[in-house]
Amino acid sequence: MDKQTIESQTRMYMFDLLNTAKEHGFKGEDNWELSMVTNTERIKIQKDYYPTVAAKIFPEILLQVLHTIKTRLNQSAHKEEQKQDRNNVLNEELNYLVAFNPKRPRT
C-alpha cells in the first residue's frame, strides 16, 4: 500500500466525519472517539451509539490512517494504540475504523 492510498482513505474518512458532525450539530466540546475494530465490534458500537462513522479499511494501512486522522483532529494516541503494530491489526482481524461520540448513546 502506498502513501496515496493512505491519504485518500484519510481524506474520505475526514470528509464523512466533518459532514456527520455538522449534520448532527456537534459543538466544540463534542469529540469523536476513534477505534480500530472487528466487524462484530463495529456492529455493537453502531447499535449503541448514534451517529457513528464506520469505514472498512485495509488492515495493512489501518494504523496509519488512524494516526493521520487523530493528528488532523488534534487528538493524541491512547497507550493501547501506541502499542499496536501492523501484525496485531492483522492477527486481531481489525479492519474497520469507527468513530462515535461517547456522550451520544442511542436511545
Side-chain angles (χ1 to χ4, degrees), residues 16-28:
D16 288 346
L17 268 185
L18 298 173
N19 276 348
T20 303
K22 197 181 293 182
E23 273 176 42
H24 293 276
F26 274 38
K27 307 275 184 281

Side-chain angles (χ1 to χ4, degrees), residues 2 6 18 20 23-24 29 36 38 44 56 58 60 64-66 74 76 80-81 83-84 86 88 93 99-101:
D2 59 5
I6 294 166
L18 298 173
T20 303
E23 273 176 42
H24 293 276
E29 69 277 359
M36 297 182 300
T38 62
K44 181 177 178 358
K56 188 168 189 168
F58 293 114
E60 299 83 3
Q64 289 137 301
V65 172
L66 173 73
N74 296 319
S76 53
E80 306 86 64
E81 288 167 13
K83 283 188 244 170
Q84 289 280 19
R86 198 165 155 251
N88 287 16
E93 296 178 11
F100 66 97
N101 183 321

Side-chain angles (χ1 to χ4, degrees), residues 51-62:
T52 60
V53 176
K56 188 168 189 168
I57 296 177
F58 293 114
E60 299 83 3
I61 63 169
L62 186 56

Side-chain angles (χ1 to χ4, degrees), residues 19-45:
N19 276 348
T20 303
K22 197 181 293 182
E23 273 176 42
H24 293 276
F26 274 38
K27 307 275 184 281
E29 69 277 359
D30 288 329
N31 287 320
W32 289 109
E33 181 77 32
L34 289 152
S35 302
M36 297 182 300
V37 296
T38 62
N39 190 42
T40 307
E41 293 167 320
R42 173 191 65 81
I43 291 166
K44 181 177 178 358
I45 290 170

